């Protein structure tokens, strides 16, 4: 089974990227290079995870584990994400004073 995936898709990673997100390893590497090799959100840590819209399947970018996990908990709900940012900014920990 694994041998067929490598034979037909170049690698197991390429197979999974194509099956899950419709992109190739080359697409992944191009996206990551376009982001400067870093997570599209924090721009501090190297990106390693494909971020995609769960409704449409469209790939948005490459994220680090923490940013991908954090966004995933909001379930593609931008209202909740904005409310969380407002909440964070309103607390003493969120203020830059």
């Amino acid at each position: 089974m694994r041998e067929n995936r490598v034979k037909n898709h170049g690698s197991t990673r390429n197979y999974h990227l194509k099956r899950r997100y419709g992109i190739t390893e080359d697409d992944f590497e191009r996206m990551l290079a376009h982001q400067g090799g870093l997570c599209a959100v924090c721009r501090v840590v190297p990106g390693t995870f494909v971020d995609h819209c769960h409704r449409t399947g469209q790939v948005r970018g490459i994220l680090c584990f923490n940013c991908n996990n954090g966004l995933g908990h909001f379930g593609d709900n931008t209202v909740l994400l904005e409310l969380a940012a407002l909440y964070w900014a309103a607390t003493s920990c969120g203020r830059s004073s």
Side-chain angles (χ1 to χ4, degrees), residues 53-69:
C53 175
H54 292 133
R55 187 174 47 81
T56 66
Q58 180 181 2
V59 173
R60 295 183 285 225
I62 310 300
L63 306 181
C64 68
F65 173 81
N66 287 337
C67 290
N68 188 55
N69 194 33

Side-chain angles (χ1 to χ4, degrees), residues 38-94:
L38 300 174
C39 171
V41 173
C42 70
R43 303 205 181 268
V44 174
V45 179
T48 54
F49 293 85
V50 177
D51 176 43
H52 67 288
C53 175
H54 292 133
R55 187 174 47 81
T56 66
Q58 180 181 2
V59 173
R60 295 183 285 225
I62 310 300
L63 306 181
C64 68
F65 173 81
N66 287 337
C67 290
N68 188 55
N69 194 33
L71 288 178
H73 285 292
F74 287 97
D76 289 343
N77 186 327
T78 57
V79 172
L80 282 179
L81 189 57
E82 288 175 14
L83 289 171
L86 289 171
Y87 165 78
W88 181 83
T91 66
S92 59
C93 291

Side-chain angles (χ1 to χ4, degrees), residues 19-38:
R19 185 176 63 82
R20 290 181 184 156
Y21 310 111
I23 65 172
T24 64
E25 284 181 280
D26 288 341
D27 296 330
F28 179 96
E29 294 302 328
R30 270 193 293 279
M31 291 173 71
L32 189 58
H34 183 71
Q35 298 173 195
L38 300 174

